[in-house]
Amino acid sequence: LEYNLAVPFQPQAPYANWDLPYQEACEEASLIMAARFFSGRGLTVEEMDVSIKKLVDWQKKRFGYYEDTTPAEVVIMAKEYFNLSARLDYDVSVSNIKKLVSQNKLVLAPAAGKILPNPYFKNNGPLYHMLIIRGYTQDKFITNDPGTKRGKEFVYKYDDLLNAIHAWP
């Protein structure tokens, strides 16, 4: 059985500029893609660029910073900025993630980027990363990984992704 939600994709560096704020924008990019999915709208390069900058400004006012936002702060952004329903779920298992996705819910997963086996990451990946789990196959999760321009429907084996999922203190 395979399941794959039609989540629009753009990388966190929409114009391949990895300077700030883009190198720190995986949470923002993941939320923007999720919001576009739930509103039924696509996402252009320009829209991703403008949306990241606006969300970074909002976070600076709301939290005092935008770098490495915690999963709890991502929930706050989802609710307050995007008016989405969101919650923290500590059941990090294949069965729970598959259940949520099959209910048309997106899973935004915080991960240790250096552990993720993504050959497109520069410098072996970011220390802290966030991506969307949008679907699954028999043995892999289908993700939108904003950390690379090749991140649309990027697949990770179940164990590889579960081993990398971390909530950072």
Side-chain angles (χ1 to χ4, degrees), residues 14-27:
Y15 292 111
N17 170 359
W18 286 91
D19 295 339
L20 290 173
Y22 306 104
Q23 63 183 261
E24 295 285 345
C26 56
E27 302 92 345

Side-chain angles (χ1 to χ4, degrees), residues 4 7 29 36 38 49-50 52 55 58 62 71-72 75 80 83 85 111 121 124 136 142 146 148 151 153 156 165:
N4 188 9
V7 181
R36 289 299 179 110
F38 289 115
D49 188 56
V50 169
I52 286 172
L55 186 51
W58 182 88
R62 176 67 171 80
V75 168
E80 293 181 10
N83 200 29
S85 171
F121 283 166
N124 302 317
Y136 54 84
I142 304 167
T148 165
E153 297 183 291
Y156 289 104
I165 291 177

Side-chain angles (χ1 to χ4, degrees), residues 125-145:
L127 201 58
Y128 173 75
H129 192 48
M130 182 165 280
L131 51 77
I132 295 177
I133 302 173
R134 60 179 282 175
Y136 54 84
T137 66
Q138 187 175 341
D139 60 345
K140 295 181 181 86
F141 286 118
I142 304 167
T143 71
N144 269 7
D145 189 329

Side-chain angles (χ1 to χ4, degrees), residues 10-113:
Q10 287 295 337
Q12 69 191 65
Y15 292 111
N17 170 359
W18 286 91
D19 295 339
L20 290 173
Y22 306 104
Q23 63 183 261
E24 295 285 345
C26 56
E27 302 92 345
E28 293 81 358
S30 294
L31 278 167
I32 291 161
M33 288 186 278
R36 289 299 179 110
F37 168 73
F38 289 115
S39 71
R41 294 168 56 209
L43 183 59
T44 67
V45 171
E46 183 182 16
E47 288 169 333
M48 179 61 104
D49 188 56
V50 169
S51 297
I52 286 172
K53 290 174 184 167
K54 285 182 177 173
L55 186 51
V56 163
D57 287 344
W58 182 88
Q59 288 174 86
K60 287 178 182 173
K61 290 182 185 88
R62 176 67 171 80
F63 304 127
Y65 62 94
Y66 70 95
E67 304 90 341
D68 297 334
T69 41
T70 67
E73 289 164 335
V74 170
V75 168
I76 291 169
M77 285 190 280
K79 290 178 175 179
E80 293 181 10
Y81 189 86
F82 292 104
N83 200 29
L84 294 171
S85 171
R87 68 180 172 85
L88 291 177
D89 190 329
Y90 297 98
D91 180 359
V92 182
S93 64
V94 172
S95 60
N96 188 48
I97 293 170
K98 285 171 73 172
K99 180 187 82 177
L100 292 168
V101 170
S102 68
Q103 294 169 348
N104 295 326
K105 296 176 181 171
L106 297 178
V107 176
L108 275 62

Side-chain angles (χ1 to χ4, degrees), residues 145-161:
D145 189 329
T148 165
K149 67 182 178 190
R150 297 179 187 92
K152 181 179 183 168
E153 297 183 291
F154 191 89
V155 294
Y156 289 104
K157 289 180 187 155
Y158 290 155
D159 285 347
D160 287 344
L161 186 53

